[in-house]
Amino acid sequence: MLATFVALEALGKQVRLVNADAAPDHYREFPGVDRIEIAARSEAEADALIVMECSDLSRTGVAGLEGHFIINIDHHAGNRMYGAVNWFDESAAACGEMVFDVIRALGVPLSREIATHIYLAILTDTGGFHFSHITPRTFEICRRCTEAGAAPEPIARAVYDSS
């Protein structure tokens, strides 16, 4: 998730975001999407890999991740707990809620770019607020994101009115 990428860079970390597939065209207008590296295999040396929204490592679609220190962040039932660190919270409506907590714990300010990506993650991961597990906390995080500059209308239009 790009919010994590931006937050880690704000802390002075060297960060790469690798994905097996390119983002759909209607996501390309969001900040930082052009920095996602598309690769079927990762050969990179890294202190840690953060894998989100994947019940098992093969679901990433990226080979070469085995043997690294993996931080597994997920909220979907069936997670296989494959990481050195596994943060699984089935009560979370979206992985974006969990990322919000990480960014706050790191002390990184909620910039407009980070807020946009957290809001986008929550919007899409909840099916436009249609799925279960949505709580007042979900909307509180979205409120904080909008206060930080996330713009709900253009985000929703980019996701749901463009295909």
Side-chain angles (χ1 to χ4, degrees), residues 50-118:
I50 301 172
V51 179
M52 295 182 202
E53 299 271 12
C54 292
S55 57
D56 63 58
L57 200 53
S58 67
R59 187 155 195 252
T60 65
V62 179
L65 305 180
E66 305 80 6
H68 287 88
F69 185 90
I70 295 174
I71 301 168
N72 166 24
I73 302 174
D74 193 18
H75 67 109
H76 295 103
N79 190 286
R80 297 196 179 184
M81 305 299 178
Y82 53 86
V85 174
N86 296 291
W87 182 19
F88 172 72
D89 183 359
E90 195 172 6
S91 71
C95 200
E97 291 181 354
M98 299 168 76
V99 168
F100 177 83
D101 291 339
V102 167
I103 290 169
R104 284 190 51 202
L106 292 172
V108 176
L110 194 59
S111 68
R112 179 182 205 161
E113 184 175 8
I114 291 170
T116 295
H117 285 292
I118 290 172

Side-chain angles (χ1 to χ4, degrees), residues 114-124 129 142 145-146 150-152 155-156:
I114 291 170
T116 295
H117 285 292
I118 290 172
Y119 187 94
L120 174 63
I122 292 173
L123 177 70
T124 56
F129 304 104
C142 290
C145 288
T146 58
I155 293 171

